[in-house]
C-alpha cells in the first residue's frame, strides 16, 4: 500500500471449528504501530450477512498501521487483527 491509497480491509469471522459467524456490535479500529487508536469505525461497514465485513480505508498519514475488527458472539468478544505496511512512491 502507498500513502493516500485506498485499501479494502476485510475480515471473515469464524469459530475455532471454521464455521462462519455473525457477531453483534462489530467495529473497526485503526491503530498506529505504538497501539494508539487512530480511528474507530462503526458505520459504513459492508457485510454479506454471514460474518464477512469490508471497509474501504484511505490512510493519509503514510505510516504503517494495524486494523482490528471486533464484536461479540455468544456474549464473548471476538476479534481479528492485522498490520499494513505503507510504502512511499
Amino acid at each position: 500500500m502507498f500513502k493516500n491509497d485506498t485499501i479494502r480491509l476485510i475480515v471473515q469471522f469464524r469459530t475455532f471449528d471454521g464455521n462462519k459467524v455473525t457477531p453483534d456490535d462489530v467495529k473497526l479500529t485503526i491503530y498506529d504501530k505504538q497501539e494508539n487508536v487512530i480511528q474507530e469505525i462503526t458505520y459504513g461497514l459492508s457485510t454479506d450477512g454471514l460474518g464477512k465485513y469490508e471497509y474501504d480505508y484511505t490512510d493519509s498519514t503514510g505510516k504503517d498501521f494495524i486494523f482490528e475488527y471486533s464484536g461479540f458472539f455468544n456474549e464473548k468478544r471476538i476479534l481479528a487483527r492485522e498490520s499494513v505496511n505503507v510504502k512511499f512512491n
Side-chain angles (χ1 to χ4, degrees):
M1 172 177 184
F2 294 103
K3 182 178 178 181
N4 294 319
D5 278 353
T6 299
I7 185 171
R8 182 162 290 160
L9 305 176
I10 302 171
V11 68
Q12 175 67 67
F13 287 105
R14 295 181 184 269
T15 64
F16 288 117
D17 298 331
N19 299 316
K20 295 177 183 179
V21 296
T22 303
D24 297 319
D25 301 322
V26 174
K27 75 175 177 178
L28 170 61
T29 306
I30 309 294
Y31 299 93
D32 64 18
K33 286 294 188 167
Q34 289 72 41
E35 300 176 10
N36 299 307
V37 175
I38 296 172
Q39 188 175 4
E40 289 187 340
I41 302 159
T42 56
Y43 296 99
L45 302 174
S46 299
T47 182
D48 67 355
L50 298 173
K52 181 178 178 182
Y53 290 82
E54 300 178 349
Y55 185 81
D56 291 342
Y57 178 72
T58 303
D59 174 61
S60 60
T61 67
K63 297 180 181 177
D64 297 348
F65 63 93
I66 300 163
F67 71 94
E68 172 189 275
Y69 278 97
S70 62
F72 292 90
F73 181 71
N74 286 340
E75 300 179 14
K76 294 182 180 157
R77 189 166 169 83
I78 185 171
L79 67 88
R81 191 180 294 143
E82 189 171 331
S83 66
V84 176
N85 295 318
V86 179
K87 300 179 193 269
F88 294 95
N89 53 357

